[in-house]
């Protein structure tokens, strides 16, 4: 049977799973197996069976070397290449390594999803809480389809006017302290909309 567009999109997705190996390894393992069965390509940890340790650091079966730095560097590069990061923190706890990974994903503009919000208020700002892993996949797929639906033609006059209007709305939020709307949401949504409006795709669909 020929796969549907949705099935193809899921199969092409890449994900990294993060969390505390010491506290939540059973749930991390379940998430990896669920993603692999869909199938979604789990870049790291591909095989989460613990096989060795160095101090507090746990090595899993998919770690090819026994170097903390090289294993962690590979995990970070996997995050950079992923379509999204799945954060496992059922009780809100995010360890130091996973916190670094959340920060790295945020800097790399990789979406971060979890079913529970981190206890840390700062980390919470960068994590989208969803009811299920399936909902995270749906959102990532929808975002991917929007990116690939871009065309190459724009109306320069209308685009410039609309971009100027977007900048004015952002300016109002940044300079007005008593705005009733969440300034973080307004500014970042405005910047994303502005970027999408003026970007010229390099491919045709």
């Amino acid at each position: 049977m020929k796969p549907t567009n949705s099935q193809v999109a899921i199969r092409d997705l890449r994900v990294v799973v993060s969390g505390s190996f010491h506290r939540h390894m059973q749930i991390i393992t379940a998430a990896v197996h669920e993603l692999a069965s869909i199938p979604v390509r789990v870049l790291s940890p591909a095989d989460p069976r613990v096989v060795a340790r160095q101090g507090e650091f746990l090595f899993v079966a998919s770690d090819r070397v026994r170097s903390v730095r090289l294993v962690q560097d590979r995990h970070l590069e996997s995050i950079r290449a992923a379509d999204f990061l799945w954060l496992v923190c059922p009780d809100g706890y995010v360890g130091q390594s996973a916190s670094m990974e959340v920060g790295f994903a945020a800097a790399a503009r990789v979406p971060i999803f979890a079913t529970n919000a981190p206890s840390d208020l700062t980390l919470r700002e960068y994590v989208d809480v969803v009811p299920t892993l399936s909902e995270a996949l749906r959102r990532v797929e929808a975002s991917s389809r929007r990116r690939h639906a871009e065309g190459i033609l724009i109306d320069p006059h209308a685009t410039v006017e609309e971009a100027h209007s977007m900048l004015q709305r952002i300016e109002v939020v940044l300079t007005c302290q008593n705005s009733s709307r969440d300034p973080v949401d307004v500014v970042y949504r405005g910047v994303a909309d502005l970027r999408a409006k003026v970007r010229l795709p390099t491919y045709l669909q």
Side-chain angles (χ1 to χ4, degrees), residues 33-48:
H33 290 164
E34 181 180 354
L35 287 160
S37 69
I38 292 175
V40 169
R41 185 181 177 191
V42 181
L43 299 180
S44 183
D47 187 342

Side-chain angles (χ1 to χ4, degrees), residues 49-66:
R49 293 172 297 153
V50 176
V51 295
R53 67 186 302 158
Q54 183 177 326
E56 293 296 312
F57 193 90
L58 300 180
F59 294 98
V60 297
S62 52
D63 295 332
R64 301 299 185 185
V65 295
R66 296 294 180 263

Side-chain angles (χ1 to χ4, degrees), residues 10-18 21 27-48 60 62 64 74-75 77-79 81-86 88 133 137:
I10 290 177
R11 189 174 294 114
D12 289 341
L13 291 180
R14 298 164 298 179
V15 61
V16 168
V17 180
S18 286
F21 281 13
I27 303 174
I28 290 171
T29 299
V32 170
H33 290 164
E34 181 180 354
L35 287 160
S37 69
I38 292 175
V40 169
R41 185 181 177 191
V42 181
L43 299 180
S44 183
D47 187 342
V60 297
S62 52
R64 301 299 185 185
R74 183 188 178 280
H75 194 68
E77 287 305 313
S78 295
I79 292 173
D83 292 293
F84 71 103
L85 178 71
W86 181 249
V88 174
L133 179 53
L137 290 169

Side-chain angles (χ1 to χ4, degrees), residues 45-198:
D47 187 342
R49 293 172 297 153
V50 176
V51 295
R53 67 186 302 158
Q54 183 177 326
E56 293 296 312
F57 193 90
L58 300 180
F59 294 98
V60 297
S62 52
D63 295 332
R64 301 299 185 185
V65 295
R66 296 294 180 263
S67 164
V68 174
R69 175 63 182 269
L70 290 178
V71 167
Q72 189 61 45
D73 282 352
R74 183 188 178 280
H75 194 68
L76 295 177
E77 287 305 313
S78 295
I79 292 173
R80 192 197 304 275
D83 292 293
F84 71 103
L85 178 71
W86 181 249
L87 178 65
V88 174
C89 55
D91 54 2
Y93 175 81
V94 180
Q96 292 182 347
S97 294
S99 296
M100 178 179 69
E101 291 156 12
V102 169
F104 186 90
R109 299 186 181 278
V110 174
I112 307 160
F113 295 97
T115 54
N116 298 85
S119 299
D120 183 89
L121 292 178
T122 302
L123 293 179
R124 192 178 296 179
E125 291 293 319
Y126 296 94
V127 177
D128 286 327
V129 177
V130 292
T132 62
L133 179 53
S134 297
E135 173 61 16
L137 290 169
R138 187 195 66 78
R139 293 191 188 186
V140 174
E141 284 186 88
S143 175
S144 177
R145 284 197 295 271
R146 284 197 298 270
R147 287 197 302 269
H148 291 294
E150 293 168 340
I152 197 168
L153 300 177
I154 64 171
D155 178 345
H157 297 293
T159 298
V160 168
E161 291 179 0
E162 190 168 353
H164 186 260
S165 176
M166 291 176 178
L167 286 171
Q168 286 182 319
R169 289 197 294 270
I170 294 172
E171 181 184 20
V172 168
V173 173
L174 291 175
T175 57
C176 181
Q177 299 300 318
N178 60 354
S179 174
S180 61
R181 298 183 62 186
D182 181 1
V184 173
D185 182 67
V186 174
V187 170
Y188 281 102
R189 284 183 182 274
V191 170
D193 291 342
L194 181 63
R195 184 182 295 112
K197 176 60 64 176
V198 301

